[in-house]
Amino acid sequence: MVELSISIKRVLWYMWIVFLPLGLWYSYVSYPPSFSSLWEPVSLIILAILISVIPYQIRESKIFIIRWVSLAAFLTYGLFFELLLMQIAVLFLLFRSKMTLENIYRYPLNSIMFMISSFIAGLTFYGIGIVQEESSLISLTLASFLYMFLQVLVNDVFLYIFNHFKGNRYSFINQDSKLDYLAMLLSLPYGVSLYFLQSAIGFASTLFIGLPFIALTIILRLYNHSESLKEDLVRAGEIGHQLTSQLKVDEVLDLFIDKLSDLMQVDYAYILDVSTNENELVLIKRVENGKRMDNTLRSIQRNEGISGKVWHSGQAAFLNKKRSWGDAVKEYIPSDVESVLSVPIQRNQRTVAVLMVASKRKNAYKPHILPIVDLLCSHLAVAIQNARNYQTAIIKSEHCALTGLYNYRRFDELLHDKFDELMNGSVRQLSLILLDIDHFKNINDTYGHQSGNDILQDIARILSNVIGNEGVVARYGGEEFVILLDNISKNQTIELAEQIRRKIEDCVFKTLNDLSEVRQEIQVRITVSMGISTAPEDTDSALTLLRNADRALYVGAKRAGRNRVAQYMK
């Protein structure tokens, strides 16, 4: 969306200063009003003001059902009075819509728009030759329909052109325009009735029709709010089930923010997790303008900024004015933010994380949204914990508890996955190294099994450090380890295996002698033997690749004297 420049906003004000007085003067001269009583026009103006400040809202769309009052004003007193009434109503419409200094240009824009629509509709009405006092109810109603229809149509065309000029592209026929036409049809009988009744009983007609209409609007607003809240609570429950069905924390967080954005205005969203030692909030999810961003913003201390205060107090914060932000952490408050909502995410009555969302709109968040967000945050806390528990269980089931490496079951799955990639051409080569610690039984028998475990852990660390992200390291069983490498030739694999062998041979392992009378630290030197097999040179089967490496290990390395690397030979 393109922001209007200062010069364009000035042009709007210049146009308003010129055209509004001219429009009022022309309409007054051409269609001067005739007032038999001051109370009647004043009552219409008061009614228009009251309706302007009591909009009926359907989701994000606000409907000001005021055109029936302007119709009655037009039929009774003519174009000038209708223009004057709508100009007054525009002030209160924009006041109710929270107009600010940044968007005060909306006043001249809407003022000119309503003046143009009134002129086109009014002159068309006069042009078809309708005389109210001499017309039948049907002809007057049809002419009134045309009058109101043109007003809505001209307004929609005006707004469509202006928004396209700003870069805000949307369909000409949309939800807001449909609601405008529906409101016009429903309010048409009120306008015609008010005109006839005012002709008969004067300003008292405003009380007979206007006050019940306002009361009905208030009742419908309350009912709509109650129904919307009920629907949102039901949706929140459904979203909760969707959250708890996710098995990864990142998927839970993405789904939560997506669904939250469907319920409310969210331009920026941050989820901060209470750290393990509970001394700071750590950013775990960051979405800005609909885009997932890196979690690079700094951590927040307890009672620091908006989120820190929410964490400390356990109470939600609604902030719709910049001056109420206080010492907010600037990294979490972009410059175009106008409204902020921060809510504690609690589990078992303890805050485990904090949600902070922000909007570019003023007064975007109201207290009635809190039960919805609070319920969603409760579901989020459970979903995150479930996902973390699931991931922990997965890690435990896939890793060796002693060394932290993949266990054989998980390695077998990865091996077959890699072989599928080899078969479909995603991977050119696969190399497998099978490693066995020489004379490992002597270590267990001499120093105890715990000392053997210490050696296994040290070997696992060496292998992980050497291989890094270049391959997969797993504990094959007992004192055996296996390494899977892709897109590495057999010669490169042999060189890597030799590097590992020398590193282990040169290493001094420290452990405790659990079998001596005095349990003391000892230094142990060990060697390893390795067998290597490569696909597709040696085999086209995952199982055979492993068997070939095993054969190379025991025939080519162990039988040949140990402490060496052997490759599979056909």
Side-chain angles (χ1 to χ4, degrees), residues 60-100:
E60 297 299 320
S61 301
K62 286 185 178 180
I63 306 174
F64 296 90
I65 309 178
I66 195 175
R67 297 192 186 280
W68 66 278
V69 181
S70 70
L71 172 64
F74 173 78
L75 294 175
T76 306
Y77 301 112
L79 181 59
F80 169 78
F81 182 72
E82 193 272 344
L83 273 174
L84 182 64
L85 179 141
M86 287 304 295
Q87 291 300 313
I88 295 173
V90 165
L91 280 173
F92 288 89
L93 283 171
L94 296 178
F95 173 79
R96 183 63 179 81
S97 300
K98 307 294 183 183
M99 185 173 58
T100 64

Side-chain angles (χ1 to χ4, degrees), residues 109-110 112-113 116 153-163 172:
L109 175 69
N110 282 272
I112 294 170
M113 179 183 70
I116 293 174
L153 179 62
V154 171
N155 281 358
D156 283 349
V157 171
F158 190 95
L159 289 174
Y160 181 79
I161 294 173
F162 179 76
N163 278 286
F172 181 72

Side-chain angles (χ1 to χ4, degrees), residues 273-288:
D273 195 30
V274 176
S275 62
T276 305
N277 53 13
E278 298 193 0
N279 65 349
E280 61 183 3
L281 290 172
V282 180
L283 182 64
I284 59 173
K285 180 57 62 174
R286 174 188 176 195
V287 176
E288 297 183 350

Side-chain angles (χ1 to χ4, degrees), residues 532-546:
I532 293 173
S533 179
T534 304
E537 293 93 329
D538 298 335
T539 180
D540 57 0
S541 164
L543 182 59
T544 306
L545 181 69
L546 192 56

Side-chain angles (χ1 to χ4, degrees), residues 182-216:
L182 178 61
M184 177 203 73
L185 289 173
L186 294 177
S187 62
L188 174 63
Y190 282 92
V192 176
S193 300
L194 181 57
Y195 162 69
F196 282 112
L197 195 59
Q198 193 162 41
S199 301
I201 62 175
F203 82 93
S205 60
T206 306
L207 300 178
F208 280 101
I209 295 183
L211 292 183
F213 183 88
I214 291 173
L216 180 61

Side-chain angles (χ1 to χ4, degrees), residues 11-17 19-20 87 90 106-118 155 158:
V11 169
L12 285 174
W13 280 107
Y14 293 150
M15 292 175 61
W16 178 80
I17 292 172
F19 290 118
L20 181 64
Q87 291 300 313
V90 165
R106 290 169 55 199
Y107 173 68
L109 175 69
N110 282 272
S111 176
I112 294 170
M113 179 183 70
F114 277 103
M115 184 182 70
I116 293 174
S117 64
S118 293
N155 281 358
F158 190 95

